[in-house]
Amino acid sequence: MATKTTASKADEPVEPETEAAGVEEDAEFDVTRDLTADNLIKDYVIASVAASIVPVAFFDIAAVVAIQLRMIQKLSQLYGKPFSERLGRKVIYALAGGVLGFGAGYVVAASATKMIPGIGWMVGMVSLPVVAGASTFAVGRSIVSHYENGGTLMDFNAGKMREFYKEQFEKGKELARKVKNKAKSEAETVAEEVAS
């Protein structure tokens, strides 16, 4: 009888035990990927703030766009999505131009003030780093949201992402202010050390 029981068990289909483990592994992968994406975005916010501090007019804008493109490329790799520099630029311009509108003109004007000897650099320093950092944060979060919903750069619809971008831009301002203030305090500390 023991043989018969064994034979009937052998005939039954075996449920794979790895199915539950696979779900757990996917959840762990998603959490790891989400944390990696968040850290990546924060790193690029720091880079954008630093680039916007450079006292060379219009270099800052070009540098921030290049930083945002690199961030999109890295996020595309992380999510296994195809990347195109041309499409990346379209996404950046569509999001920033469509949402900031007058803000895009403001960014250009703030950058241009850096050409004024002496005070120009300080005027550009007041808000340009915050706008650059917040924009980078919002672009990164918008790309992540789009990728998590199965999209690619080819089907990115800036019109549908505008409200989300605005929300993320406001959140990004706070992060960018913290980065700017930390950079400012570190620069003051270095200046004091050099002076003494």
Side-chain angles (χ1 to χ4, degrees):
M1 288 206 169
T3 317
K4 191 174 186 179
T5 310
T6 309
S8 64
K9 282 190 177 184
D11 293 340
E12 293 177 13
V14 178
E15 299 264 338
E17 293 179 349
T18 58
E19 194 171 299
V23 169
E24 289 175 21
E25 287 175 16
D26 286 347
E28 286 178 27
F29 175 73
D30 287 347
V31 169
T32 302
R33 185 178 63 194
D34 291 348
L35 290 173
T36 302
D38 285 344
N39 287 333
L40 223 144
I41 292 168
K42 287 176 184 174
D43 288 346
Y44 283 97
V45 167
I46 292 168
S48 291
V49 169
S52 67
I53 292 173
V54 174
V56 179
F58 306 114
F59 168 80
D60 46 10
I61 296 172
V64 169
V65 169
I67 288 165
Q68 291 176 352
L69 276 172
R70 181 72 171 152
M71 175 183 65
I72 293 172
Q73 180 184 28
K74 289 294 188 180
L75 289 170
S76 297
Q77 289 172 352
L78 180 65
Y79 283 86
K81 305 290 183 175
F83 172 77
S84 156
E85 184 176 327
R86 183 182 57 79
L87 291 174
R89 283 185 188 279
K90 279 186 170 183
V91 167
I92 291 168
Y93 298 145
L95 286 173
V99 174
L100 293 177
F102 74 91
Y106 169 78
V107 169
V108 171
S111 180
T113 60
K114 292 180 180 181
M115 293 189 311
I116 302 169
I119 196 165
W121 181 75
M122 292 188 312
V123 170
M125 273 291 299
V126 172
S127 60
L128 191 58
V130 173
V131 171
S135 173
T136 301
F137 182 82
V139 167
R141 293 304 311 153
S142 297
I143 293 292
V144 166
S145 174
H146 184 64
Y147 284 173
E148 286 178 348
N149 289 315
T152 66
L153 288 180
M154 292 197 62
D155 63 6
F156 190 90
N157 185 335
K160 289 182 179 178
M161 294 299 290
R162 284 205 176 107
E163 281 306 311
F164 182 78
Y165 179 89
K166 285 180 187 177
E167 291 170 18
Q168 298 306 307
F169 186 81
E170 291 304 315
K171 290 179 183 179
K173 280 183 182 178
E174 186 57 36
L175 175 61
R177 278 189 194 100
K178 288 178 183 176
V179 171
K180 178 186 155 198
N181 291 338
K182 183 172 182 180
K184 183 179 175 184
S185 70
E186 288 176 0
E188 288 170 354
T189 303
V190 169
E192 288 173 7
E193 289 175 3
V194 169
S196 58

